[in-house]
Amino acid sequence: PAHLWILLPRSDHPDGASAEEEAERGSKIHKWAGEELEQIKRACALSREILDIGAAMVKPGVTTDEIDRVVHDATVERGMYPSPLNYYNFPKSVCTSVNEIICHGIPDARELQQGDIVNIDVSSFLAGFHGDLNETVFVGKPDAENVKLVHCAYDCLMAGIATVQKGNLYKHIGDAIEARAKIYDISVVRTYSGHGIGKLFHTSPSIPHYANNKAAGVMAVGHVFTIEPMVNLGQWQDVTWPDKWTSSTTDGKRSAQFEHTMVVTDDGVELLTDWKEIG
Ligand code: MF3
Ligand code: CO
């Protein structure tokens, strides 16, 4: 729409880069509270609604371009801007990653087929704050191997979340995730990490999903971040397509992912992108 610009997160992005993110790189972790935290919660709850709308479209014959269009319109209808759109030149409003695509797949004209899996990654920006979540969905009826992969990805996200508590170390999230993946004989992607989020789309902390990582930082009340493990049926290695975004497994075997945005609370963790009433 003509007035989409008014929803934009960034005023200074001729090439889609975020000067604010570059400036903040490696800095300490912000503690959110009060009305700002409430705004992040609203952005996250609305992002959940948008993901559910996109995921409900998934069936054989639907294209990821059609999902992109519906996600885009649902975002703007809620007074939000789709965070991926023009973010470092990402060309669409949602990431759709099919089968061997690990993450950052670009919606296109291919029709989803019975037996595919598709990850839909929704991030949206509401009046100054981002929310971010993704889920992997079956297209039609899955076979046992795909059920195992997708179940493992969800179980790994939950294993990571279970470690979140004030005083715990960010580097230990990956230990829990990789230990859980190992039970399934499934590998964990090393190139992409969870991230702090708030006024910026991607900021500190950086949260690797693999074991024995060197991530900095101690969890504290008010930290807001994502955990988003990507797990592969074959090897963990990834390769980026010439489009500079699409990340694929190198062996062509399938990959799955789930993501939540959360906040560290006094007594544990609150999932901001889970289902709940919108206040
Ligand atoms: N959840 C994804 C991430 O944090 C969203 C990426 S959108 C993109 O990487 F524009 F960066 F592709
Ligand atoms: Co994310």
Side-chain angles (χ1 to χ4, degrees), residues 84-141:
L85 186 59
N86 199 35
Y87 180 72
Y88 290 87
N89 288 332
F90 191 85
K92 299 277 171 99
S93 296
V94 63
C95 300
T96 54
S97 302
V98 177
N99 297 341
E100 77 278 13
I101 304 308
I102 294 169
C103 64
H104 300 164
I106 300 171
D108 64 20
R110 177 184 175 277
E111 294 183 2
L112 294 170
Q113 294 176 21
Q114 152 63 37
D116 285 347
I117 58 174
V118 57
N119 179 278
I120 302 179
D121 191 334
V122 167
S123 13
S124 34
F125 181 81
L126 177 71
F129 300 90
H130 297 272
D132 188 7
L133 79 163
N134 74 56
E135 293 186 350
T136 302
V137 181
F138 299 115
V139 183
K141 189 176 158 52

Side-chain angles (χ1 to χ4, degrees), residues 175-198:
D175 295 335
I177 290 171
E178 191 162 331
R180 189 64 58 91
K182 219 170 180 165
I183 297 169
Y184 296 81
D185 192 28
I186 276 175
S187 64
V188 177
V189 171
R190 300 174 73 89
T191 301
Y192 301 96
S193 300
H195 52 91
I197 183 167

